[in-house]
Amino acid sequence: MNIIIMGPPGAGKGTQSEKILAYCNIPHISTGDMFREAIKEGTELGKLASSYINQGLLVPDEVTIGLVKERLAKPDCQKGYLLDGFPRTLAQAEALEKLTQEISRPIQLVINITCEKDALIKRISGRRVCPKCGNSYHVEFKKPMVDGVCDNCKSELVQRKDDTIESLQVRLNAYENQTKPLIEFYDKKGLLKEVDGLKDISDVFKDIQKVISEVAK
Ligand code: ADP
Ligand code: ADP
Ligand code: ZN
């Protein structure tokens, strides 16, 4: 399967991606995770990306597109991909059309997770992530087995630097202005499926399984 998962910051893209992967055995391409990895490693890309991410701004298109181009060209993407957090601008979506043609893996499904602002604020402010393996948790909605400790690798959980109210406001504006137009872009192509992200994590996943199985038929 060749899938994109979209939605505002905090809608549940990462959480649902983890579940989709266990079900669809395809590589997970999260531009947010790739940038955080580069920041951790202190690479040139990381330095550049952090100056945008810490302010809640989008990393420039040419940088982000270059990163995804390299990733999609790797052999594991020949069995499909799950793009999470990319594309986020029309320029990225247009570039992606070309990239997916080049690897003969056209997008089959765009899952848009909808969610209201109040819920996004609660989710972002309670989000805790594992700095080592990237798993994400919530202090109320998705508690780890032991408080503050990753179930998967036992590292100490942290709060993302950009998960502040101020940064969320900037990210929501970026979403409204730059990312939302993509909903119409993919709807016109007949690829868009919306799922209600306000439901419980497991119910959202049930709805996602339904739309995936419809497309896989
Ligand atoms: P969220 O959980 O808020 O949806 P992500 O983990 O997907 O965030 O991304 C974190 C940050 O990384 C974004 O706020 C943005 O600065 C940067 N980023 C991620 N993906 C992209 C992209 N496709 N284009 C530009 N910037 C991106
Ligand atoms: P995104 O990748 O879209 O930014 P995440 O998957 O990281 O979002 O989810 C944001 C936060 O909200 C995390 O702390 C996660 O545990 C929590 N969360 C995700 N989906 C739900 C849900 N359906 N109901 C309640 N909390 C959720
Ligand atoms: Zn971990």
Side-chain angles (χ1 to χ4, degrees):
M1 293 287 299
N2 315 320
I3 307 176
I4 295 175
I5 189 157
M6 280 185 41
K13 300 180 295 294
T15 303
Q16 297 300 329
S17 291
E18 266 176 50
K19 291 179 172 286
I20 295 171
L21 296 182
Y23 173 72
C24 286
N25 193 31
I26 44 176
H28 177 210
I29 306 179
S30 158
T31 41
D33 285 350
M34 288 162 91
F35 288 135
R36 280 185 290 276
E37 198 56 37
I39 293 171
K40 208 161 70 181
E41 286 170 3
T43 64
E44 284 306 310
L45 171 71
K47 281 178 205 155
L48 185 133
S50 70
S51 63
Y52 293 92
I53 294 176
N54 292 340
Q55 297 180 68
L57 298 170
L58 294 184
V59 177
D61 282 335
E62 65 271 22
V63 177
T64 311
I65 292 166
L67 186 71
V68 173
K69 181 179 164 84
E70 253 177 49
R71 183 63 190 86
L72 280 176
K74 294 204 171 142
D76 60 340
C77 294
Q78 275 311 311
K79 57 180 182 184
Y81 51 79
L82 174 63
L83 279 168
D84 163 4
F86 182 93
R88 267 177 150 102
T89 65
L90 266 177
Q92 291 178 12
E94 274 154 10
L96 182 63
E97 293 292 297
K98 262 208 207 132
L99 297 180
T100 56
Q101 264 170 28
E102 277 166 23
I103 61 165
S104 307
R105 279 254 160 220
I107 301 153
Q108 291 166 291
L109 169 65
V110 179
I111 301 168
N112 184 38
I113 308 183
T114 60
C115 194
E116 280 163 15
K117 191 174 170 185
D118 288 352
L120 296 175
I121 294 172
K122 269 196 201 148
R123 290 182 188 184
I124 293 280
S125 52
R127 170 157 66 183
R128 298 292 181 273
V129 297
C130 175
K132 194 160 169 216
C133 74
N135 272 10
S136 96
Y137 301 87
H138 192 279
V139 291
E140 191 180 337
F141 309 129
K142 192 186 175 213
K143 293 184 181 172
M145 288 184 290
V146 178
D147 250 6
V149 179
C150 178
D151 293 347
N152 183 35
C153 73
K154 310 295 170 212
S155 302
E156 196 178 321
L157 301 179
V158 298
Q159 194 160 13
R160 262 169 56 176
K161 239 189 182 172
D162 59 341
D163 277 351
T164 60
I165 290 289
E166 298 76 37
S167 160
L168 177 62
Q169 199 51 59
V170 181
R171 279 149 73 203
L172 286 173
N173 286 341
Y175 176 77
E176 282 294 323
N177 299 328
Q178 292 168 277
T179 309
K180 239 184 169 178
L182 299 188
I183 296 174
E184 201 190 329
F185 178 88
Y186 287 118
D187 196 21
K188 276 193 184 147
K189 291 181 185 288
L191 297 173
L192 190 80
K193 295 278 179 197
E194 224 149 54
V195 300
D196 178 4
L198 283 175
K199 295 184 184 176
D200 282 353
I201 293 177
S202 60
D203 289 332
V204 177
F205 185 57
K206 279 186 201 146
D207 292 347
I208 289 181
Q209 277 178 307
K210 264 186 228 150
V211 299
I212 292 180
S213 59
E214 273 164 28
V215 173
K217 265 202 291 227

